Amino acid sequence: MTVDRGRLARPALVLAPRMLGAVIVSEVGGERVAVRLTEVEAYEGSADPASHAYRGPTARTEVMFGPPGHLYCYFTYGMHWCANVVCGVDGVASAVLLRAGEVVEGVAVARERRPAARRDTDLARGPARLASCLGLSGGENGVDLCSPESTVRLESMPARRRPEIASGPRVGIAVATDRPWRFWLPDAPSVSVFKAGGRRRPRPRPAD
DNA sequence: AGGACGATTAACT
DNA sequence: GTTAATCGTCCTC
């Protein structure tokens, strides 16, 4: 059995399933909250029309084109922040979106940050909810997740890929919907629900 | 310079 | 099931 050659050129696709079970620790604002990841998505830069980095570097996506192990935080829908782990080597814009997890430390702080959550398993259920639990926003963009000095750190990664991992299409995107680049732990109650992205309508062009 | 759209969420019916 | 909220980014003119 040989390895699919394309996979070797897609670091986020390799890393994403391995991140399930990893713990992200945040000390933003002097409050310690830790989340164990149960759901992630791979975004493959220039090879992936759904990636923010698809059309090349911009001010927003600069961090994605930098070295691996840093946090890429972006603002969306005029009100939410979401977070990724950059995983491509310097110059390659691959990243893993942190879609959901369970709060394993600092539940009280997470509940203050997420007053709408009805159950603890809802606290980090969804990418903006997860970022909110950890106190992540623009100030954390570019933070080195592998430095003990950082306020946000990747503190543990499973030595082996989890034996039971589910995969399927990514959530909320309108392009490249056929790629099963979303990965989750099938029995985790914190996994978010699938929703298709908004359909792209053909823009009305002025008649000639 | 203008406008469409978004890697979403919460609150509705 | 539907929809409002809300604004930075990026494409188009």
Side-chain angles (χ1 to χ4, degrees):
Chain A
M1 185 72 172
T2 56
V3 172
D4 165 34
R5 185 181 304 277
R7 179 162 293 241
L8 298 176
R10 299 194 278 235
L13 200 51
V14 173
L15 182 67
R18 296 203 50 151
M19 297 255 311
L20 295 173
V23 176
I24 305 279
V25 176
S26 167
E27 289 170 356
V28 172
E31 308 267 34
R32 186 177 168 98
V33 175
V35 166
R36 187 182 305 280
L37 300 175
T38 57
E39 181 188 359
V40 296
E41 285 176 354
Y43 285 87
E44 289 294 5
S46 60
D48 181 4
S51 170
H52 292 165
Y54 182 57
R55 295 169 194 276
T58 64
R60 176 174 66 151
T61 60
E62 184 183 0
V63 170
M64 271 217 268
F65 286 86
H70 292 251
L71 201 60
Y72 164 54
C73 296
Y74 69 91
F75 185 62
T76 191
Y77 288 101
M79 64 197 92
H80 301 301
W81 290 91
C82 299
N84 296 246
V85 175
V86 173
C87 62
V89 294
D90 202 355
V92 173
S94 293
V96 175
L97 172 68
L98 310 180
R99 270 207 65 89
E102 51 200 40
V103 178
V104 293
E105 203 176 331
V107 172
V109 173
R111 290 196 76 92
E112 283 177 25
R113 290 172 172 167
R114 295 260 310 107
R118 307 194 68 236
R119 305 177 309 169
D120 285 355
T121 50
D122 293 333
L123 284 169
R125 188 173 189 237
R129 293 165 166 184
L130 183 152
S132 178
C133 274
L134 295 175
L136 306 180
S137 64
E140 285 66 49
N141 189 40
V143 163
D144 182 359
L145 293 166
C146 302
S147 164
E149 312 296 315
S150 295
T151 54
V152 190
R153 302 179 301 274
L154 185 53
E155 288 222 329
S156 72
M157 282 269 289
R160 304 171 179 282
R161 196 184 195 271
R162 285 290 181 96
E164 299 212 353
I165 290 177
S167 67
R170 294 172 291 182
V171 176
I173 56 171
V175 293
T177 52
D178 57 319
R179 305 184 191 190
W181 288 0
R182 174 189 184 215
F183 302 90
W184 65 93
L185 297 177
D187 297 327
S190 56
V191 170
S192 63
V193 295
F194 178 81
K195 188 181 182 185
R199 243 198 63 219
R200 189 153 298 184
R201 291 179 313 202
R203 181 196 294 245
R205 300 294 306 264
D208 52 351

